[in-house]
Amino acid sequence: MKNYLNSVVLLTCIVLVMLLGLYYLPPITIAGVELKKVDMLADIRVAQDTDVSQPIAIDTTELKLDTANLAIVSDTVAPVMDSVKISAKEEFYNNVIKVKKDTTAVGVAHIIDYADSTQRGMFPFYTALDAMKEDEHQYTHIAFFGDSFIEADILTADLRTLLQKEYGGCGVGFVPITSEVRFFRRSVVHDFKGWDSFAVTQKPYDKSLLGISGEYFVPTSNAYVEYKGQSKFGSLLDTCQVASIYYNIENPLEVVQRINGARRDTLFLSSSEGLQQHQAFEKIGKIRWNIPADSTAAFKGATLDGEGGITLDNFGQRGSSGYSLTQIPAQKLKDFNNYRPYDLIVLEYGLNVVAKNVNNYGYYKKGLTQVVKYLKQCFPQAGFLIVRVSDRNVKGADGEYHTMPEIKSFVKMQQELAKENNIAFWNLFEAMGGDDSMVDLVNAKPAKANLDYTHINFIGGKYLGKKLFEALKDGKEMFDKKEVYTDE
């Protein structure tokens, strides 16, 4: 029998050399996604010193502000607060007591409110909570914009549940018509078929049709979408009381609506300019909308709410830097605001911006400042809260995972951005535990974060959702005493 041992050894050596050589290939990108570098020696390789003099170019969504749109919004938006309420804002600003935040407790982060007399920080949110005490049918609306850190309702689902238990409300809030993460998302059972989907992150798309989530959906023959509540993930998600669907249509359209798998209604949607809304009122455990024929209608999504209380809409968008929000026409945002006026808009971005060897994020602060100004005009009644980027770990010179050095530069910029725009700021990095805290979440039993040392899982979402809830509740207690935290 012929001995193939030498051939096997030679083949093994050739394969090993090829695998080692893959490390020296330049970055490879397929369909806009950069593949992870192959490194057979990753576990023993010593990290090289960072050369900040040679910043690496990073790919972010191009910022395109429609200045004409901004001018139109500025001219047409009516004053949101009457003189009495404006006086209340100014009175609060003039009499508020500033309390220095606690910097000694690990894992505790207070909300710092940099609001001026216009009170575009936490004031609208806290006063909305007070209004709900007087009327159980009053809403407090929250929009939570972010990147893949909150994708599939991670963190926001648990924050929503805690807020609804404390202040009232039920339902999952905004849901898209189609979703890439429908089987991953636990807070709603979502089924659909027969839709052409368009998103601001994927060309081509018609900018004029974009909805608040940066998406729109066009039905083909016998298209349908169905949402079903469930109680395994959250105690207030099994049923809702108001189901709404949002759309733009140029021609009349027939839609079949079925509630709880039983009652069947035929709806005749008339053509009209601007965003339209259809609502169903009932104890709804499941709702389905079916479009029998092809249509040019553009559907934006649906909302599942209570008849009052807290609503929290998750607008997580994978790969987003936040810039794409300015691609949504101002009038579209204003139209949605007429139906669903937000009291608090949360902005959580950064994972897609922080990059190795990049320590100057002045360009991003300038761009996101334009985003904040744009949203302030489109949602003139809303308060704003910047959520600081989370911890993100990379392998260091000692072979262990540590906080990415560039994170420190980015979080400093975020706090400056909040201060310069007179809005509120919450330090997620600090709430996680600071340096190397992502390692702790990955190593927790059970694990609270993924092995990419960047993203949390649902267990981590529950952990951090509670942290933000406690910060909001603490902030409300301070507000009732006319006090706010300061870092000075």
Side-chain angles (χ1 to χ4, degrees), residues 167-182:
Y167 301 108
C170 66
V172 75
F174 183 89
V175 277
I177 299 296
T178 74
S179 173
E180 295 179 346
V181 297
R182 61 166 165 163

Side-chain angles (χ1 to χ4, degrees), residues 62-127:
E62 185 180 1
L63 179 61
K64 293 182 178 179
L65 271 178
D66 189 334
T67 54
N69 250 355
L70 283 175
I72 292 172
V73 172
S74 299
D75 292 338
T76 59
V77 172
V80 175
M81 296 291 184
D82 59 28
S83 59
V84 175
K85 291 184 178 179
I86 291 175
S87 296
K89 284 183 173 185
E90 293 172 344
E91 180 186 359
F92 185 86
Y93 175 74
N94 291 330
N95 295 287
V96 68
I97 300 171
K98 294 186 177 181
V99 179
K100 189 166 180 62
K101 70 171 186 174
D102 182 4
T103 58
T104 60
V106 177
V108 176
H110 303 299
I111 292 175
I112 301 173
D113 197 339
Y114 294 113
D116 58 11
S117 59
T118 63
Q119 290 296 348
R120 299 305 298 273
M122 301 304 297
F123 186 94
F125 175 67
Y126 292 143
T127 52

Side-chain angles (χ1 to χ4, degrees), residues 234-486:
S235 59
L236 298 168
L237 297 174
D238 55 340
T239 60
C240 70
Q241 297 161 330
V242 185
S244 308
I245 191 165
Y246 303 86
Y247 52 90
N248 287 105
I249 56 175
E250 295 180 352
N251 302 300
L253 180 65
E254 179 181 304
V255 175
V256 177
Q257 173 180 277
R258 179 163 288 182
I259 297 176
N260 298 331
R263 200 183 82 202
R264 186 177 185 274
D265 300 313
T266 299
L267 312 174
F268 296 97
L269 307 182
S270 58
S271 59
S272 179
E273 292 185 6
L275 183 70
Q276 303 298 307
Q277 175 196 59
H278 167 75
Q279 292 186 304
F281 297 86
E282 196 171 320
K283 186 176 182 180
I284 301 171
K286 180 170 67 173
I287 189 164
R288 180 186 180 106
W289 287 289
N290 176 263
I291 293 86
D294 286 357
S295 172
T296 58
F299 287 77
K300 317 302 181 182
T303 52
L304 308 175
D305 306 315
E307 291 183 331
I310 295 285
T311 72
L312 192 157
D313 296 339
N314 175 295
F315 296 115
Q317 193 173 69
R318 185 183 304 179
S320 177
S321 65
Y323 284 3
S324 59
L325 291 173
T326 64
Q327 298 300 302
I328 306 169
Q331 190 59 48
K332 297 297 183 185
L333 296 175
K334 180 184 174 185
D335 286 347
F336 196 83
N337 187 56
N338 289 334
Y339 289 117
R340 205 169 178 81
Y342 289 110
D343 302 290
L344 179 64
I345 292 177
V346 184
L347 300 174
E348 176 276 318
Y349 292 105
L351 287 182
N352 301 293
V353 182
V354 178
K356 183 180 179 182
N357 296 347
V358 178
N359 286 281
N360 185 352
Y361 292 98
Y363 78 94
Y364 182 74
K365 181 172 73 170
K366 182 178 180 180
L368 204 63
T369 292
Q370 297 304 310
V371 174
V372 171
K373 290 180 178 179
Y374 189 64
L375 295 178
K376 277 185 174 182
Q377 294 190 67
C378 296
F379 303 95
Q381 77 292 329
F384 287 80
L385 173 65
I386 294 286
V387 170
R388 186 175 178 178
V389 72
S390 62
D391 187 30
R392 179 179 173 186
N393 294 166
V394 294
K395 189 166 288 188
D398 59 358
E400 301 295 329
Y401 281 91
H402 299 287
T403 294
M404 189 176 181
E406 294 78 7
I407 287 283
K408 301 293 183 67
S409 301
F410 191 83
V411 295
K412 180 181 179 182
M413 175 277 300
Q414 283 184 298
Q415 191 157 1
E416 291 173 354
L417 185 148
K419 190 171 186 178
E420 291 171 11
N421 286 277
N422 301 116
I423 57 180
F425 175 80
W426 185 62
N427 195 331
L428 173 60
F429 179 85
E430 197 173 79
M432 292 175 68
D435 287 342
D436 303 347
S437 54
M438 185 60 77
V439 174
D440 296 334
L441 297 187
V442 171
N443 295 334
K445 302 296 181 183
K448 294 184 176 73
N450 301 327
L451 289 173
D452 63 357
Y453 292 87
T454 300
H455 295 90
I456 56 174
N457 58 25
F458 283 101
I459 299 174
K462 184 174 184 178
Y463 171 71
L464 294 179
K466 185 178 180 182
K467 292 272 189 179
L468 180 49
F469 168 74
E470 290 171 345
L472 290 169
K473 189 176 178 182
D474 176 57
K476 177 63 169 68
E477 292 172 356
M478 294 285 287
F479 175 82
D480 292 339
K481 297 185 291 185
K482 289 193 174 183
E483 296 178 346
V484 296
Y485 287 109
T486 179

Side-chain angles (χ1 to χ4, degrees), residues 22-30 33-38 56-57:
L22 289 175
Y23 174 77
Y24 297 98
L25 288 176
I28 299 173
T29 301
I30 298 178
V33 178
E34 184 174 319
L35 301 183
K36 187 175 181 180
K37 181 181 284 294
V38 177
I56 295 176

